[in-house]
Amino acid sequence: MTAAELGQFLTARRHQTNPASLGLPAGARRRVTGLRRAEVAHLAEISVDYYTRIEQGRSGSPTPAVLDALAQAMSLGAQERMFLFNLAGHMAPARHTPVSINPAVDDLLHRLHHTPAMILSDLHEVLARNELAEELLGELPAGTGSACSLSYRWFTDPAARARVIDEDRDYYARTYVADLRRAAATRRGDPAVADLVARLRNASPCFARLWEAHEISVPARPVRLLHPDAGVVGVVFRHFTVTGAGQRLVWITAAHDQTQPPLPPRSVATPRHSAAPAFA
């Protein structure tokens, strides 16, 4: 990407930003659509001359702090903000704002009446789940933060591993660690990720060993769960990830038939929501 492309993107977004949405008067005497350069500079707390040079491709690569200020000044969404940083040759740092469950994913969860399913954050916090998921996997944690992460519970609480047969536990553990590796790379500098990883490294030698392996991709395969009534059940965890939202829909099917749930449904599975976590 070039400095010119960065400037063109900022110019386009400036023209598309409604002044009224930022509390600025629309004004009948405006000669430009959207924001003036001076208004962007004021909101970002940089000089008008510097902002003009950025738009004209004459400033070199702005610092992450300046890019973040510009993103906030023009109320860029998560994907636009990430694109802005990429244009300037930087990785977007984490933005510590509460995240709501993606409405489309929430709608899908409500439609999965006969399939165990849940919505997870990228730190394996359970944002929502249906009753069939808890019937299959056991009690799932309510709430957010490191102690409520499924990966944290896996490595620190033997009860969390009880429903996975011994031969499949290493695979399960590797999958959790690889997921967290990717989250740490995406959310570089995020205290929530750093806290979870630090807690796990201190609490679990197994996690510390796997973390040092730097594995970021584990091939998907069925795993075997030990259900108190049905015995050993082979399942496949299937994922639908929402790009830029830090969350995914996970639904579980029988290993031998990926169109069917692993256990016969007893009733309509009602989704249960947890409080939204603070993560970028």
Side-chain angles (χ1 to χ4, degrees):
M1 298 295 181
T2 66
E5 289 175 300
L6 173 64
Q8 290 164 6
F9 175 70
L10 287 171
T11 300
R13 289 300 295 119
R14 176 168 62 85
H15 288 163
Q16 294 164 11
T17 303
N18 182 3
S21 69
L22 301 177
L24 299 172
R29 300 178 59 184
R30 280 184 177 271
R31 292 178 294 177
V32 297
T33 303
L35 298 176
R36 302 183 180 98
R37 284 175 175 167
E39 290 170 331
V40 175
H42 172 73
L43 291 169
E45 298 183 348
I46 60 177
S47 71
V48 179
D49 176 67
Y50 181 39
Y51 178 72
T52 299
R53 285 188 284 115
I54 294 175
E55 273 202 4
Q56 294 176 347
R58 298 185 293 111
S59 69
S61 178
T63 66
V66 169
L67 294 170
D68 195 51
L70 291 173
Q72 293 187 52
M74 289 187 278
S75 297
L76 299 188
Q79 293 189 32
E80 293 173 320
R81 179 173 178 267
M82 184 179 299
F83 185 69
L84 173 66
F85 274 77
N86 289 340
L87 283 175
H90 297 290
M91 179 180 289
R95 198 172 193 177
H96 311 298
T97 55
V99 172
S100 300
I101 296 174
N102 182 280
V105 178
D106 195 36
D107 180 67
L108 285 174
L109 177 65
H110 280 78
R111 294 173 186 271
L112 294 174
H113 300 309
H114 304 303
T115 301
M118 54 190 170
I119 300 174
L120 300 181
S121 77
D122 56 355
L123 300 188
H124 310 123
E125 297 159 311
V126 182
L127 309 184
R129 70 278 198 197
N130 62 22
E131 292 177 0
L132 290 177
E134 290 205 332
E135 181 183 341
L136 178 64
L137 301 175
E139 183 179 358
L140 296 171
T144 59
S146 294
C148 293
S149 166
L150 292 179
S151 53
Y152 182 83
R153 293 187 66 195
W154 172 265
F155 286 102
T156 61
D157 182 1
R161 303 187 291 271
R163 291 208 177 185
V164 178
I165 69 168
D166 291 348
E167 292 84 354
D168 286 348
R169 289 182 182 180
D170 181 67
Y171 169 80
Y172 223 81
R174 288 169 53 215
T175 300
Y176 274 136
V177 176
D179 255 5
L180 288 178
R181 270 282 176 199
R182 294 193 298 271
T186 302
R187 294 166 57 177
R188 187 174 59 183
D190 189 333
V193 182
D195 177 69
L196 177 57
V197 172
R199 285 172 178 262
L200 282 168
R201 295 185 72 174
N202 289 333
S204 169
C206 175
F207 177 87
R209 173 179 57 81
L210 292 174
W211 186 257
E212 292 306 318
H214 291 266
E215 190 173 22
I216 62 170
S217 179
V218 179
R221 69 166 178 82
V223 296
R224 289 161 292 176
L225 304 180
L226 182 60
H227 190 270
D229 298 320
V232 176
V233 180
V235 301
V236 174
F237 287 81
R238 300 173 68 80
H239 302 257
F240 173 74
T241 301
V242 185
T243 304
Q247 58 193 246
R248 76 187 73 171
L249 175 69
V250 179
W251 69 101
I252 307 167
T253 61
H256 63 275
D257 184 347
Q258 296 188 9
T259 66
Q260 297 296 322
L263 295 174
R266 294 186 305 176
S267 61
V268 172
T270 304
R272 300 168 59 187
H273 292 72
S274 299
F279 62 85

